[in-house]
């Protein structure tokens, strides 16, 4: 089943093949979960929102309301993003990326098979990047996360954040400029 495209898997799931849904979840889990975790910075909350995302996806597909032909991942990311926004509206605070949480996000991304020294260096680099990401304005941080961790296109980011493509590009540009400036000022080498 791993050779089937997302649309074929959705069609199979509609016909009752639950293994097709399992493949979809497995295929996109890392990107969706990582993006949620980077926004909410709480692994337990991220797991809850991740599960809610796929419950909503399942309900939408079963109700024959799925219309995003060929764009499953951006659609799933939009649902996850909206659930994160809903969460923060409920508790009346904005999402912030902080360091020092219980679970290192970069462990989720699959950095393995490295020697202990390489792992330590990699972790230190990731910690520096996280600290610098924390210092960015929310809009710039969000675009960088969606582009580099979720690997969304700028059009998908623009749609998801409800801004123009030029605004999304501008936020990315200024975010990267600010990150470079921080690296220069603090003499950080990655």
């Amino acid at each position: 089943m791993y050779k089937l495209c997302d649309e074929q898997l959705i069609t199979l799931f509609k016909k009752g093949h639950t293994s097709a849904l399992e493949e979809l979840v497995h295929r996109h889990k890392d990107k969706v979960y990582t993006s949620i975790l980077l926004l909410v910075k709480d692994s337990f909350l991220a797991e809850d929102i991740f599960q809610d995302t796929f419950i909503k996806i399942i309900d939408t597909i079963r109700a024959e309301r799925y219309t995003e032909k060929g764009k499953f991942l951006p659609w799933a990311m939009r649902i996850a993003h909206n659930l994160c926004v809903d969460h923060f509206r409920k508790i009346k605070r904005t999402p912030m990326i902080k360091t020092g949480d219980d679970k290192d996000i970069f462990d989720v991304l699959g950095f393995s098979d490295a020697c202990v020294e390489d792992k330590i260096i990699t972790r230190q680099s990731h910690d520096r990047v996280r600290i610098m990401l924390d210092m960015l304005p929310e809009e710039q941080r969000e675009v960088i996360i969606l582009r580099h961790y979720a690997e969304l296109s700028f059009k998908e980011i623009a749609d998801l954040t409800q801004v123009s493509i030029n605004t999304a590009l501008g936020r990315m540009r200024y975010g990267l400029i600010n990150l470079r400036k921080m690296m220069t000022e603090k003499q950080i080498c990655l």
Side-chain angles (χ1 to χ4, degrees):
M1 246 192 241
Y2 61 89
K3 294 181 181 180
L4 299 176
C5 72
D6 291 348
E7 287 306 311
Q8 292 168 318
L9 290 171
I10 290 168
T11 301
L12 285 173
F13 175 65
K14 285 180 181 179
K15 293 177 180 177
H17 298 277
T18 56
S19 59
L21 178 68
E22 290 172 21
E23 175 61 28
L24 270 175
V25 171
H26 180 71
R27 184 178 290 178
H28 299 295
K29 177 186 177 205
D30 288 343
K31 288 181 182 178
V32 174
Y33 178 79
T34 300
S35 296
I36 293 168
L37 184 58
L38 285 168
L39 289 171
V40 300
K41 289 308 281 180
D42 178 320
S43 59
F44 296 111
L45 177 60
E47 288 172 22
D48 288 345
I49 292 174
F50 177 79
Q51 289 176 3
D52 290 345
T53 299
F54 275 91
I55 289 170
K56 194 167 192 136
I57 287 169
I58 291 166
D59 291 345
T60 303
I61 292 171
R62 283 187 175 154
E64 301 287 330
R65 291 177 299 170
Y66 175 74
T67 59
E68 305 291 327
K69 302 289 182 200
K71 298 181 180 180
F72 178 79
L73 181 60
W75 176 65
M77 293 298 298
R78 187 168 58 245
I79 291 171
H81 182 268
N82 289 342
L83 288 172
C84 290
V85 169
D86 290 347
H87 166 75
F88 287 111
R89 281 186 184 142
K90 284 180 190 173
I91 61 170
K92 297 187 184 203
R93 65 179 172 101
T94 56
M96 295 182 67
I97 295 176
K98 296 180 182 177
T99 60
D101 58 342
D102 296 336
K103 190 172 185 181
D104 188 346
I105 184 59
F106 294 99
D107 290 340
V108 176
L109 296 175
F111 295 98
S112 59
D113 300 327
C115 70
V116 174
E117 184 179 330
D118 289 344
K119 286 181 180 182
I120 291 170
I121 291 169
T122 300
R123 183 171 300 240
Q124 288 172 343
S125 294
H126 293 163
D127 288 344
R128 289 182 191 122
V129 170
R130 262 199 307 271
I131 290 167
M132 291 186 297
L133 277 172
D134 275 344
M135 296 177 185
L136 290 176
E138 180 183 339
E139 296 84 12
Q140 294 173 11
R141 181 176 58 238
E142 182 177 44
V143 171
I144 289 172
I145 289 168
L146 292 173
R147 180 72 179 138
H148 288 286
Y149 295 103
E151 297 178 5
L152 295 182
S153 70
F154 284 105
K155 180 175 183 345
E156 293 164 342
I157 293 169
D159 292 343
L160 187 62
T161 58
Q162 299 177 344
V163 298
S164 70
I165 292 176
N166 286 340
T167 300
L169 286 166
R171 289 177 179 174
M172 173 62 95
R173 179 176 179 264
Y174 288 116
L176 293 175
I177 288 170
N178 287 333
L179 286 174
R180 282 188 201 106
K181 189 188 309 182
M182 283 185 247
M183 288 175 68
T184 303
E185 288 172 358
K186 298 180 187 299
Q187 297 180 345
I188 294 174
C189 189
L190 299 177

